[in-house]
């Protein structure tokens, strides 16, 4: 039995078909979506490599890939929708944490605080994200086309062991590096008095976001370890016997 067939229960009223994955319209949409996303992250990888070869430094890297990063990382919000409408069986909550934390990092931290764009942590999370996404979206594409090279499957469920902690470290270092600028400029903060009698401290908010990685990241990592066991580990071998 393939891991796709070994899926959980049907999502009621969804377009997901019993044991066979998504229905044909949803499958067509997902194939298109995953191909576009693979291509986007591949282009980003090529831009990063070319930048490194030409400049030999990470200074200016973020600015040079910012537009394409924003497009394809923001496009990942559709994944939350895919789970919510039931065309993929992933958890809406875990996917929402994963995607929203990265969209937040791109728009509200990296792109909003020019002072930190040349930090090495940018290179760290960009590299981790890019490798992950090329493998992940090509894994989904090949799976949907029922032609999945074993290496892609293995890479999907193995690379994260190292890339997840690396990516998360890069993200946390970057938010930490943004704190002095946010404190100094009052970026996105609202202070009293004002007509709405409402205040918001973005500096404190960033600290709360950093702290929220402590309970949430282990859950994502453990989930991926569980998926690895199911697909290429002990559980998959037992089912195949
Ligand atoms: C203001 C907001 C602040 C919020 C603050 C919150 C704090 C958050 C802390 C955590 C931050 C994390 C930041 C992230 C960093 C990085 O990414 S670093 C780089 C390394 N990253 C990774 O390796 C990512 C690994 N994580 C994931 O892949 C996802 O997040 C996931 C949700 C954990 C994935 O889980 P899941 O979807 O369940 O796994 P899969 O095995 O891939 O899929 C399950 C089934 O669903 C099918 N499917 C999923 N998506 C698609 C798709 N697009 N197309 C087709 N099919 C799809 C998949 O094929 C599986 O189906 P079956 O084979 O039938 O089981």
């Amino acid at each position: 039995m393939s891991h796709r067939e070994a899926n959980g229960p049907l999502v009621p009223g969804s377009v997901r078909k019993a044991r066979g994955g998504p229905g044909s319209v949803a499958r067509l949409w997902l194939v298109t979506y995953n191909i576009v996303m693979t291509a986007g992250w591949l282009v980003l990888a090529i831009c990063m490599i070319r930048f490194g070869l030409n400049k030999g430094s990470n200074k200016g890297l973020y600015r040079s890939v910012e537009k394409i990063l924003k497009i394809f990382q923001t496009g990942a919000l559709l994944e939350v929708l895919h789970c919510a409408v039931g065309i993929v069986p992933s958890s809406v909550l875990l996917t929402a944490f994963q995607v929203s934390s990265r969209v937040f990092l791109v728009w509200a931290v990296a792109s909003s605080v020019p002072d930190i764009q040349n930090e090495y942590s940018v290179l760290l999370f960009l590299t981790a994200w890019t490798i992950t996404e090329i493998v992940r979206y090509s894994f989904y594409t090949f799976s949907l086309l029922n032609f999945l090279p074993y290496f892609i499957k293995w890479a999907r469920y193995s690379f994260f062991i190292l890339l997840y902690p690396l990516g998360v470290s890069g993200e946390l270092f970057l938010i930490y590096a943004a704190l002095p600028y946010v404190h100094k400029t009052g970026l996105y903060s609202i202070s009293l008095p004002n007509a709405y009698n409402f205040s918001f401290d973005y500096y404190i908010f960033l600290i709360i976001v950093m702290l929220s990685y402590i309970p949430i990241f282990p859950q994502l990592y453990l989930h991926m370890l569980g998926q690895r066991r199911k697909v290429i580990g002990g559980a998959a071998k037992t089912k195949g016997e």
Side-chain angles (χ1 to χ4, degrees), residues 14-98:
S14 81
V15 285
R16 235 185 128 68
K17 286 190 178 160
R19 299 173 145 264
S24 52
V25 175
R27 181 184 292 263
L28 184 64
W29 161 250
L30 286 174
V31 170
T32 310
Y33 173 80
N34 289 311
I35 288 176
V36 170
M37 295 300 273
T38 310
W41 285 94
L42 263 173
V43 170
L44 206 142
I46 292 166
C47 291
M48 285 175 67
I49 293 168
R50 279 181 54 183
F51 188 93
L53 292 175
N54 289 337
K55 305 270 165 132
S57 148
N58 66 323
K59 291 203 172 54
L61 171 68
Y62 187 79
R63 274 281 169 230
S64 80
V65 298
E66 183 176 8
K67 203 174 276 174
I68 187 157
L69 175 67
K70 279 177 165 171
I71 294 171
F72 288 96
Q73 186 51 59
T74 310
L77 285 170
L78 283 173
E79 293 185 44
V80 184
L81 190 69
H82 295 161
C83 312
V85 299
I87 59 173
V88 303
S90 311
S91 149
V92 183
L93 194 65
L94 291 184
T95 307
F97 280 137
Q98 167 76 21

Side-chain angles (χ1 to χ4, degrees), residues 115-184:
D115 285 18
I116 57 173
Q117 289 170 355
N118 293 330
E119 295 280 335
Y120 281 110
S121 49
V122 170
L123 185 61
L124 193 61
F125 78 74
L126 276 182
T127 307
W129 291 9
T130 306
I131 298 171
T132 299
E133 299 306 41
I134 292 168
V135 171
R136 192 168 71 90
Y137 289 117
S138 41
F139 166 78
Y140 296 143
T141 307
F142 285 125
S143 297
L144 286 162
L145 298 175
N146 292 319
F147 171 72
L148 178 60
Y150 183 76
F151 175 73
I152 301 281
K153 178 157 97 169
W154 180 86
R156 161 66 184 137
Y157 291 107
S158 302
F159 283 8
F160 80 91
I161 295 172
L162 185 65
L163 292 178
Y164 229 167
L166 285 182
V168 163
S169 307
E171 295 168 32
L172 287 172
F173 280 129
L174 194 76
I175 302 176
Y176 183 73
L179 290 175
Y181 178 93
V182 170
H183 194 56
K184 193 175 71 195

Side-chain angles (χ1 to χ4, degrees), residues 155-229:
R156 161 66 184 137
Y157 291 107
S158 302
F159 283 8
F160 80 91
I161 295 172
L162 185 65
L163 292 178
Y164 229 167
L166 285 182
V168 163
S169 307
E171 295 168 32
L172 287 172
F173 280 129
L174 194 76
I175 302 176
Y176 183 73
L179 290 175
Y181 178 93
V182 170
H183 194 56
K184 193 175 71 195
T185 60
L187 179 76
Y188 299 146
S189 297
I190 303 169
S191 49
L192 290 169
N194 61 55
Y196 304 100
N197 208 20
F198 171 80
S199 70
F200 174 72
D201 190 332
Y202 189 53
Y203 178 83
I204 301 289
F205 181 75
L206 284 183
I207 293 174
I208 293 171
V209 168
M210 289 173 79
L211 291 175
S212 69
Y213 275 61
I214 298 170
I216 298 172
F217 175 59
Q219 294 185 51
L220 289 167
Y221 198 76
L222 287 174
H223 172 77
M224 284 306 296
L225 286 174
Q227 290 296 89
R228 181 176 207 276
R229 251 195 318 276

